[in-house]
Amino acid sequence: MKKVVVVGSLNMDLVMEVNRIPKIGETIKGDEMSYLIGGKGSNQAVAACRLGNEVSMIGCVGKDTFGDKILKHLKEEGVNVNGIKSDEATFTGIATIFKTKNDNSIVVIPGANDFCDKNLIDENIETIKSADILVTQLEIPMETVEYALKVAKENGVKTILNPAPAREISKEILKNADFITPNETEFEIISNKTFKDGNELEEAMIAWQNENPSTRLVVTRGKDGSSYVEENKVETMKTIKVDVVDTTGAGDTFNGALAHGVSHNLLMNEAVTFAGTAASLSVTKFGAQTGMPKFEEVNKILNVK
Ligand code: RIB
């Protein structure tokens, strides 16, 4: 079993099922409302755990009902929650998700996620040192992300940075990120460019990869698969065709599964295909974590070791 440590966010997702996203100034009637456990960090931890890895999570919830529910759920999934602080001074992060038939929009109120600080990393430094791979995202303070990546890198632990929600990334952060995994929109923000079409995206990917040779860029492209740069050429791993129920958490599944592939030393094409297949399977059920596959389900499609 490989050891995966996730440093990141934990949220309660308030999912509103709607026909369409309301326009500014408009009130619309929704169909259903569900409380589901989410947060990019917690989702990535569950994704990696379902695939058979030993997963520890470092993050922060409030000392409240949502925080208790998240901790209970992660324990039931098999995630080690010793690195999750319950803070009395704040409330658990909330994500309001407007879910339409084909897509979603999300508003996150970070709450306790903003209390995931460098001290918490220091308190859990042994967990990071003993891991095979560290995964982090940008729903916690940037300085914590930077510090966690630095500690991991200094201790020979591989690192994946999922730059979501997208923000400008410093050179210091990139220096310690072995992989960076934006979706197309996030890559526009990171590269400070806009793309009219796939060709422009691919040109920008090659340019970015040449400028940042020590960080492997993987761009997730929804139903078009996932792309990376190999010898100045973009390689795209296609996805499998599925009936989409809910795309929430697809990117998180991709990252949890990429952590599995990288820590098991799969080749780049194998690791990206594995992650893309897991992400495709995840969108076939409602909720960020419900459809995250077990290793056997991905293996049945791919036949990987
Ligand atoms: O990536 C999906 C996640 O983003 C949701 O679970 C929500 O909590 C937001 O953090």
Side-chain angles (χ1 to χ4, degrees):
M1 259 192 180
K2 296 293 180 183
K3 290 187 181 171
V4 178
V5 59
V6 179
V7 178
S9 58
L10 305 105
N11 293 330
M12 182 57 79
D13 289 353
L14 274 48
V15 186
M16 326 267 174
E17 288 176 71
V18 289
N19 276 334
R20 60 180 176 79
I21 309 294
K23 293 189 194 127
I24 290 176
E26 187 190 25
T27 303
I28 62 167
K29 186 175 161 291
D31 299 325
E32 295 285 345
M33 153 84 191
S34 316
Y35 292 88
L36 295 171
I37 285 155
K40 295 186 194 303
S42 134
N43 293 342
Q44 292 169 12
V46 169
C49 201
R50 292 237 178 113
L51 293 166
N53 300 283
E54 193 180 318
V55 181
S56 300
M57 169 112 207
I58 300 172
C60 199
V61 292
K63 222 175 183 34
D64 51 27
T65 315
F66 287 164
D68 293 347
K69 278 195 189 319
I70 292 174
L71 288 174
K72 181 169 177 282
H73 165 79
L74 289 180
K75 274 190 216 158
E76 282 167 3
E77 285 284 342
V79 174
N80 180 336
V81 298
N82 293 341
I84 302 176
K85 183 169 81 172
S86 298
D87 200 311
E88 275 180 3
T90 182
F91 58 91
T92 299
I94 304 277
T96 303
I97 302 183
F98 292 101
K99 182 199 166 307
T100 63
K101 193 162 174 282
N102 296 316
D103 226 318
N104 64 44
S105 314
I106 306 181
V107 178
V108 176
I109 309 289
N113 294 305
D114 276 347
F115 287 60
C116 177
D117 57 14
K118 286 160 86 175
N119 291 336
L120 195 60
I121 302 300
D122 283 336
E123 284 163 26
N124 293 284
I125 206 146
E126 293 308 323
T127 307
I128 297 181
K129 281 186 182 173
S130 66
D132 293 294
I133 191 158
L134 175 138
V135 187
T136 189
Q137 342 70 35
L138 302 180
E139 276 185 336
I140 55 171
M142 203 63 137
E143 59 167 22
T144 312
V145 172
E146 184 174 324
Y147 186 55
L149 289 169
K150 180 168 170 281
V151 168
K153 208 63 212 263
E154 280 171 359
N155 288 283
V157 178
K158 290 176 185 160
T159 56
I160 298 178
L161 170 63
N162 174 222
R167 288 191 254 166
E168 207 180 301
I169 313 277
S170 70
K171 285 280 170 208
E172 188 58 29
I173 287 200
L174 277 181
K175 194 174 88 188
N176 293 315
D178 293 321
F179 292 83
I180 189 164
T181 55
N183 62 23
E184 289 163 291
T185 318
E186 289 154 0
F187 184 55
E188 286 195 326
I189 295 169
I190 291 165
S191 62
N192 211 4
K193 290 180 179 154
T194 46
F195 317 122
K196 276 202 304 290
D197 53 32
N199 287 339
E200 285 193 5
L201 164 74
E202 296 192 0
E203 274 168 30
M205 284 182 66
I206 294 169
W208 191 95
Q209 189 64 87
N210 284 335
E211 278 162 33
N212 302 279
S214 63
T215 304
R216 204 74 208 253
L217 171 68
V218 183
V219 177
T220 55
R221 304 170 73 175
K223 61 176 174 27
D224 295 329
S226 321
S227 302
Y228 58 93
V229 180
E230 190 82 64
E231 293 178 357
N232 252 349
K233 258 182 57 207
V234 171
E235 300 287 347
T236 298
M237 302 296 117
K238 294 277 170 221
T239 51
I240 52 166
K241 283 212 164 46
V242 290
D243 292 329
V244 178
V245 175
D246 187 356
T247 57
T248 315
D252 301 328
T253 310
F254 185 92
N255 281 279
L258 186 68
H260 172 92
V262 171
S263 61
H264 284 78
N265 296 318
L266 296 190
L267 298 174
M268 191 64 183
N269 62 338
E270 294 171 339
V272 173
T273 303
F274 182 83
T277 306
S280 297
L281 291 172
S282 77
V283 304
T284 58
K285 296 201 180 121
F286 176 65
Q289 299 183 4
T290 325
M292 289 176 175
K294 291 211 180 320
F295 176 76
E296 297 70 38
E297 294 170 69
V298 186
N299 195 29
K300 210 162 114 188
I301 294 168
L302 294 176
N303 248 322
V304 287
K305 298 255 154 30

